[in-house]
Amino acid sequence: MHMADALLSPAVGATFWAGTIGTIGYASKKLKEHLDDRKIPLMGVLGAFIFASQMINFTIPGTGSSGHLGGGMILTVLLGPHAAFLVMASVLTVQALFFADGGLLALGCNIWNLGFYPCFVAYPLIYKPLAGDGRSPRRILLASMASGIFVFQAGAFSVVLETLLSGKTALPFTTFLLMMQPIHLAIGVVEGFVTAGMIQYVRAARPEILDSSASSAPLAAGISFRNVLIGFVAFAVVTGGALSWFASAHPDGLEWSIGKVTGMGELPEQKRGIPAALKSVQEKTAFLPGYGFKPAAGEPKEKKQERPAWPNVDAGTSLSGLLGGVLVLAIAFGIGWAIRAYRRYNRPGSP
Amino acid sequence: MSHHLLEFKDVRFRYPDGTEALKGVSFLITHGESVGIVGANGAGKSTLLLHMNGYLLPTSGSVTVGELPLRKETRPEFRRKVGVVFQNPDDQLFMPTVFDDVAFGPLNLGLPPDRVRERVNDALRQVGALALADKPPHHLSGGEKSAVAIATVISMEPDILVMDEPAASLDPKGRRSVIGLLNSFAHSKIVASHDLDLILDVCARCLVIRDGMIVADGPAPEILSDATLLAENNLELPLTLQGRAAREGTHR
Amino acid sequence: MSFETAYSGIGRLDRLSYRDTVIHRLDPRAKVVATMLFAVVVVSFPKYEVLSLLPFFLFPILIGALGDIPAGFIARKVVAVSPFAVFVGIFNPLFDPGVVAIAPGVSVSAGWISFASILVKFSLTISAALLLIATTSFPGICRGLRRLGIPALFVSQLLFLYRYLFVLIEEAIRVVRARDMRAFGKKGAGVRVFVRIVGTLFLRTVERAERIYGAMLARGFRGDVPSMRSEMFRPADAIFVLAAGGFFALCRFVPVPQMIGRLVGGLAG
C-alpha cells in the first residue's frame, strides 16, 4: 500500500524523508566498508528483478484475489540488510517516477514503510533468531511468516499514522486501523509463504548464494546497530517535531494575513501556545465549525451530493471565489492548449 | 613490437568440481591475424575465452600477451591489452547510456576527461554509432547493440579483440553489418562462433577445439571445407560452401 | 492493469523523456528541485482548501505543453494510481458532516470539500511527478541526484536498476506468457507456481549479474562506477527554478482565484 502526497502534510513528509535519506546514507556507508565488488551489479539487477516480479500476480489462496511480491524480506535474506535497503529504496524510487505510485513527497514515507521494517527491524530481531543457521525448512518458514506478518503490519500501521498525523483525512484512528491491519495480515502471511518458498528454491539450486550473504552480513555488532537505530528515531522525532511546529505555526499565520488582506471571513480562533506539534492535527479538526465561513468550495459536480441545506453565512464571498477558480482553470488550460496549437502549427510534419 | 601477440602454452584448466575443461592447449597468434575458434557445445570454447582476459587463470601452463604473462596481479594490465566482447550485448552494456558505457573502460584506465571523450567518439565513429551516444541501450536495435558492445572494448585500445558469438541472435541484416564492421578493423582478432559462414567471412585462420584440446589449426577456407573434420565436431559445412560442395558432387 | 499495459506505459514514459524540447533541455537538478518544491507547497495547503489550489494547475500544464507531452496519457496514468487516495479520502464526507456554503442557497458538507481538496492535491502532485520523468531522462535524474548529494552507491544502484528493468521485465513477460498459455483462462496462478516462476527468474538474474560482473572486470572495473558527465547549471535553469518558486509563493500567499473572481464580479457589476 503506497502512501500518497495528497494525504500528507509537509511536516510528516519531511520527517520521513529525513529518516529515509539518513538511512540511505547510513546503509551506503556501511556497505562501502566491506563491499564485495560483485554485489554492485547483483544489487542493481536484483532491483530490476523485484520490480519485474512485482508485475506478476498470483492468486491468494482462499480469497481469489491476486497479490504480488513485496520483496523486502527476500532481499534482506539474500543480500543482507544494508544492501537490501538500498535495493528497496531504488525499486520504490523507480516506481514513484514511472508508475507515480504515491508521488515524490510520499516517497520518503514509502521507502521507510516498505524498506526500513524488513531490513532493520524484522531481519535482525525476528528472522535471524527464528531461522537460526537457516538450514531447517520449518524454521525458515516460521521465520519468514513471522517477519512477513510483522513487516506488513508495521508498514500498514505507518501508513495509518502518517495519514492521521497529516490531518487530511477525517477517518477516526481506530476505524482506519481496523480497515488497514486485517487486510495486511493476509498480505503478510502470503509474503511469508512466498519468501520461505523462494529461500527454499534458492537453497536447492544455488546454496552458495545464501551462505555468502549470511556471512557477509555483519549484523553481529548488534549494539552499535541498536544505537544507530535509536539515533535515527531520535533524529526523526526531533526534525519532525521542529518542522511540524514550524509548519503548523506558520500556515495559520499565513491564513491570518490572507484573511486580513482580502478581508474574507473571520479568523479561526487561534489556540496559541500549543507546544506539541501533533496536537495541531486535532486542533484543525476541532476548528471545523469555524471553517464554515472559509472561502472553500467544492467542485460543481459535487453539488448534487449536498446535505440538507443549513442556513448559511456569507455565501456571496464564496461565489466570487468559485467564479475566480473557474476562470483560473480556464486560463491555465487555455495557455496549455495555445502552446500545443502553436507547436502543431509550426511543425506540421512532426508527429 | 614482438613477433608473437598472444600465446597459450600447454594450458590446462580444471574447474573446482573436477571437470577438466582444457587439456593442454597451445597456439600462437601474431600481429594482425584474424583467428576463428570453432567447436561443439561443451568443447571448451568458453573456458578458453575466459582465459584470454584473466577471468579464469590456468591450472597449469602459461598465457602471455606480448611479453606479459597472465598472473593474478597482472590481470588489470592484461585486460587492457586483450579486449573481450561477451556474447550477450545486454550483459556487455551495463551503463545507462551508450556514451557512459563506452567511457566506462577509459575512465577505469584513469584517463583525463578530454582523452576519454576523444576515445569514446573515435570508438563510436569506428562502429558507425556516433549518433547513438546519448541513447539508453534498451532503445537500440540488436545490430546497434552489437556494434556498441564492440565500441565499449575498442575504446580501451586493446592490442587484440576477442569476440564470443558477435552475431548471435541478430537478424540477417544486423549480422551482415557486424561482419562488415569486423572486416573493417585492422585489429588482431579472435572470434569464437558457431556461425561458420561468419568465421569464413572474417577470419583467415581457424582453430577447432574438441574435448579441451586443439584438434585442428590452419587456414579457415581449408578447415571449414573439411566436411569430415567438421562432422566429427558436431559442425556442418558453412552454407556458402555447402552449395559449392553439392555442385561439385553432382558434376563429378 | 495487465502486465503488458503497465510495461508499455513505462516504455512510453521512458521514450518521451528522451525528446528534445525547452523543458527537456533544462538541468535535471532544476526540474527535480522545482517539482519537489511544487509538491511541498501544494500539500502545505490546509485540509479544506480547494480554490486556492487551482492556479497551481498552471505548472503541470505548462511543463506538459512546453515539453510536448500528451496530456491524455498523463491524465490516464494519474487516474490509474488514484485508488488509495480516493479510498482514504472518500471517508471524509462520512465522518465530517459540518456544512459549508459555497453559493447562495447551496451548501455541502465539509467532508466533501476536504475530499475535493485531496483529489485536487493528488492530481497536482502526481501529474507533476509523472511530468518530471516524462521530461527528464532517468539517467539525467540520477546525475542530478548525485550532484545534489545522494550517495554514489545508491545512485549507481538506481542506474543499474533502470538499465536492467526493461531486460528483466521482458524476461518476466516471456515466463508469464508461457504460464498463461497453459493456465487456460485461470487468472494468475497459485502461490506455488508463482514461487517457481519467480525462483527461476531469480536464478537467471543472479547468473546475469555474474556475467555483467565479468564484463565489468574485463573493462577495468575496480569497485567504483565512474562517471564524467558534468552538466553546467546554466542561467536558464536558475531562471526556471526562480520563476517556478516565485509562482508557487505567489499562489501560496495570495488567493488568486478569489481576487480574480472579485475583479470580474466588480467589472460585471
Side-chain angles (χ1 to χ4, degrees), chain C:
Chain C
M1 192 159 48
S2 88
F3 198 133
E4 291 174 33
T5 18
Y7 177 45
S8 70
I10 305 178
R12 184 157 178 209
L13 265 181
D14 184 53
R15 280 192 305 280
L16 286 174
S17 73
Y18 287 90
R19 284 194 179 176
D20 187 28
T21 70
V22 200
I23 303 292
H24 286 81
R25 280 192 290 272
L26 288 170
D27 188 289
R29 280 168 289 177
K31 284 178 277 186
V32 170
V33 168
T35 309
M36 205 65 194
L37 203 60
F38 178 77
V40 171
V41 173
V42 165
V43 303
S44 76
F45 277 94
K47 189 176 176 182
Y48 295 100
E49 195 53 78
V50 177
L51 280 181
S52 300
L53 283 165
L54 298 181
F56 284 88
F57 275 106
L58 189 61
F59 179 69
I61 286 173
L62 270 183
I63 299 277
L66 292 173
D68 208 9
I69 305 298
F73 172 62
I74 297 293
R76 276 195 302 278
K77 291 209 77 160
V78 171
V79 173
V81 292
S82 62
F84 182 62
V86 172
F87 164 78
V88 172
I90 197 72
F91 288 96
N92 283 6
L94 296 178
F95 286 94
D96 191 353
V99 170
V100 182
I102 54 167
V106 185
S107 0
V108 298
S109 88
W112 281 110
I113 292 176
S114 61
F115 180 45
S117 174
I118 288 178
L119 290 185
V120 170
K121 286 173 184 162
F122 181 82
S123 324
L124 285 169
T125 52
I126 299 298
S127 58
L130 284 169
L131 284 165
L132 172 67
I133 186 65
T135 57
T136 319
S137 73
F138 190 79
I141 290 184
C142 290
R143 282 195 295 272
L145 290 177
R146 179 72 199 100
R147 307 200 72 199
L148 289 170
I150 303 294
L153 192 60
F154 180 62
V155 173
S156 63
Q157 163 68 26
L158 282 174
L159 288 172
F160 267 113
L161 167 54
Y162 169 75
R163 170 64 188 92
Y164 285 100
L165 188 61
F166 299 92
V167 178
L168 286 197
I169 290 179
E170 268 166 28
E171 204 156 303
I173 286 182
R174 284 195 291 272
V175 177
V176 169
R177 263 191 212 134
R179 174 192 75 182
D180 289 349
M181 271 185 245
R182 285 174 288 175
F184 300 107
K186 272 201 320 193
K187 189 177 170 276
V191 176
R192 268 170 215 291
V193 182
F194 174 79
V195 166
R196 217 169 307 139
I197 288 178
V198 174
T200 316
L201 208 55
F202 171 78
L203 291 182
R204 284 195 207 166
T205 306
V206 170
E207 281 156 18
R208 183 184 292 280
E210 282 162 1
R211 292 195 302 271
I212 295 167
Y213 182 65
M216 292 171 77
L217 282 183
R219 288 195 270 146
F221 176 65
R222 270 174 242 158
D224 284 315
V225 180
S227 162
M228 61 173 289
R229 293 293 184 93
S230 51
E231 277 111 344
M232 297 293 283
F233 201 79
R234 294 160 303 150
D237 302 316
I239 291 171
F240 170 74
V241 174
L242 288 178
F247 173 68
F248 301 159
L250 176 77
C251 298
R252 180 65 185 86
F253 296 118
V254 181
V256 176
Q258 288 86 339
M259 285 169 66
I260 292 183
R262 194 157 312 152
L263 190 69
V264 173
L267 288 179

Side-chain angles (χ1 to χ4, degrees), chain A:
Chain A
M1 185 97 3
H2 285 80
M3 192 61 200
D5 278 2
L7 302 174
L8 276 179
S9 71
V12 175
T15 307
F16 280 87
W17 256 121
T20 292
I21 289 279
T23 315
I24 288 177
Y26 162 76
S28 305
K29 192 163 162 284
K30 272 288 170 196
L31 198 58
K32 236 185 167 161
E33 281 167 17
H34 26 63
L35 179 65
D36 179 2
D37 288 356
R38 224 167 260 273
K39 259 195 191 171
I40 292 178
L42 180 61
M43 284 165 61
V45 187
L46 280 184
F49 158 77
I50 293 292
F51 199 106
S53 61
Q54 284 186 343
M55 296 170 84
I56 307 176
N57 290 324
F58 55 82
T59 313
I60 296 177
T63 63
S65 65
S66 69
H68 61 73
L69 182 70
M73 267 330 284
I74 185 74
L75 281 176
T76 317
V77 175
L78 292 168
L79 290 171
H82 304 117
F85 184 79
L86 291 188
V87 176
M88 277 312 278
S90 66
V91 170
L92 291 163
T93 305
V94 173
Q95 276 176 347
L97 287 169
F98 280 102
F99 286 155
D101 261 349
L104 295 186
L105 189 60
L107 179 58
C109 296
N110 286 325
I111 295 177
W112 184 271
N113 298 350
L114 295 166
F116 185 82
Y117 300 118
C119 299
F120 294 113
V121 183
Y123 182 70
L125 301 180
I126 300 175
Y127 185 87
K128 279 220 118 178
L130 287 180
D133 65 356
R135 304 209 178 264
S136 146
R138 201 168 298 163
R139 291 188 69 175
I140 288 184
L141 182 62
L142 178 71
S144 308
M145 286 294 247
S147 327
I149 291 170
F150 167 78
V151 163
F152 277 88
Q153 289 299 302
F157 187 70
S158 292
V159 169
V160 171
L161 220 55
E162 286 152 5
T163 309
L164 292 175
L165 288 180
S166 297
K168 303 277 155 87
T169 171
L171 270 174
F173 178 68
T174 43
T175 316
F176 196 10
L177 206 62
L178 284 175
M179 283 193 298
M180 291 287 282
Q181 302 302 131
I183 303 173
H184 285 85
L185 185 65
I187 297 177
V189 169
V190 174
E191 179 83 2
F193 259 121
V194 173
T195 305
M198 286 272 300
I199 294 172
Q200 300 300 358
Y201 189 93
V202 175
R203 176 160 294 291
R206 295 283 300 267
E208 79 280 2
I209 294 174
L210 284 166
D211 296 339
S212 73
S213 76
S215 61
S216 69
L219 269 182
I223 307 151
S224 78
F225 167 74
R226 199 157 302 149
N227 287 344
V228 172
L229 182 62
I230 291 166
F232 274 126
V233 171
F235 174 66
V237 168
V238 171
T239 11
L243 279 171
S244 52
W245 176 80
F246 179 74
S248 69
H250 231 63
D252 290 333
L254 288 178
E255 276 158 42
W256 182 81
S257 60
I258 291 164
K260 204 169 181 190
V261 168
T262 58
M264 272 184 306
E266 317 132 59
L267 265 185
E269 217 181 328
Q270 279 274 31
K271 285 182 189 164
R272 297 228 168 257
I274 295 169
L278 306 185
K279 284 213 173 144
S280 74
V281 172
Q282 299 145 342
E283 197 190 340
K284 282 217 168 112
T285 11
F287 278 161
L288 257 181
Y291 269 77
F293 55 77
K294 275 216 67 193
E299 286 162 17
K301 228 191 279 174
E302 278 147 16
K303 283 183 192 165
K304 59 176 182 284
Q305 305 283 359
E306 74 196 84
R307 312 245 153 170
W310 292 67
N312 59 65
V313 269
D314 204 7
T317 319
S318 296
L319 187 63
S320 71
L322 202 60
L323 174 65
V326 172
L327 281 174
V328 162
L329 270 190
I331 295 168
F333 280 102
I335 293 174
W337 179 83
I339 294 174
R340 284 173 196 278
Y342 175 79
R343 273 181 179 282
R344 216 155 293 148
Y345 178 75
N346 272 322
R347 286 183 305 162
S350 73

